[in-house]
Amino acid sequence: MFWSRPSVSDDMRSWITQCFDWFDERFEPPIEPIVPTKAFFKAPTGTSAETAALVLDDIKRHMKFEAEVDVVPLSVLPAEYRIDYQSLSAIAGTYQEVEGVSVIRYDPEQMNRPIQFINLLAHELMHGRLSGLENEVPGGELSHELATDLGCIIAGFGVFQIQAADDAGWFGYMTQPSRGFALAMFLNRRGLSIDDVSPYLSSRCRKFVLKGFNEL
């Protein structure tokens, strides 16, 4: 008989569990997933720098991130020219600390894809949350980017993590099966079900989360 492969290895499952414990101990755990509705995002539609700053304010509120953060558009080629310059289209956002102030730079083109844009800002803001703690997170500095993606899921942004990657066709640091497993663990630990996120996920993403639930 053929058996389906598990979403994650035993080592990855153990690491994800350790990270949930670590994050929940140090940061106030969210009680519900953040989803793309007006109940969670007060920023108006648009692609202006002012709108980007308001979206970041919404994300900061949900993460309970109180430090000052500047959000600045990257100087990149317009989207219509990037087909000839693939190397310039790879950077969607960056995080830096400049004179003690966190600075997030983003590709303005991302604002035309709100799920991806919110995921981008959440990922970069998670860098700010983990600044100075890179060696304390399970796995240490070598796992920092993985822990940053996972940290977004633990902070409630799992819908954006898995759906943005699905929409973009780019997996990022975590695989889609591991994101689905981590989102299932988030819901399971909060006493929730897939029904709380299902309306905001593609059928492919729902399958990853359902498989994670079955494995838990």
Side-chain angles (χ1 to χ4, degrees), residues 169-189:
W170 178 74
F171 290 161
Y173 299 101
M174 296 184 75
T175 65
Q176 289 296 75
S178 63
R179 284 190 176 98
F181 181 84
L183 180 50
M185 183 174 286
F186 172 92
L187 296 169
N188 183 269
R189 288 172 70 117

Side-chain angles (χ1 to χ4, degrees), residues 85-96:
Y85 300 94
Q86 292 295 329
S87 63
L88 295 180
S89 67
I91 300 176
T94 64
Y95 171 84
Q96 292 176 298

Side-chain angles (χ1 to χ4, degrees), residues 71-110:
V71 59
V72 182
L74 281 164
S75 297
V76 295
L77 286 174
E80 60 266 29
Y81 298 117
R82 294 184 198 178
I83 189 169
D84 296 321
Y85 300 94
Q86 292 295 329
S87 63
L88 295 180
S89 67
I91 300 176
T94 64
Y95 171 84
Q96 292 176 298
E97 290 187 9
V98 181
E99 298 182 351
V101 176
S102 297
V103 179
I104 293 174
R105 292 182 172 86
Y106 66 94
D107 178 354
E109 178 65 19
Q110 291 285 313

Side-chain angles (χ1 to χ4, degrees), residues 125-204:
L125 190 63
M126 185 57 63
H127 276 298
R129 169 178 267 191
L130 296 179
S131 179
L133 300 173
E134 293 86 351
N135 290 319
E136 297 183 25
V137 179
E141 191 168 359
L142 291 176
S143 300
H144 178 61
E145 288 293 353
L146 274 173
T148 302
D149 270 0
L150 179 56
C152 292
I153 297 173
I154 297 170
F157 288 85
V159 166
F160 295 92
Q161 263 286 312
I162 193 169
Q163 191 60 57
D166 190 63
D167 293 344
W170 178 74
F171 290 161
Y173 299 101
M174 296 184 75
T175 65
Q176 289 296 75
S178 63
R179 284 190 176 98
F181 181 84
L183 180 50
M185 183 174 286
F186 172 92
L187 296 169
N188 183 269
R189 288 172 70 117
R190 272 65 179 178
L192 304 171
S193 75
I194 193 171
D195 293 339
D196 293 286
V197 297
S198 185
Y200 314 103
L201 297 176
S202 67
S203 61
R204 182 164 48 209

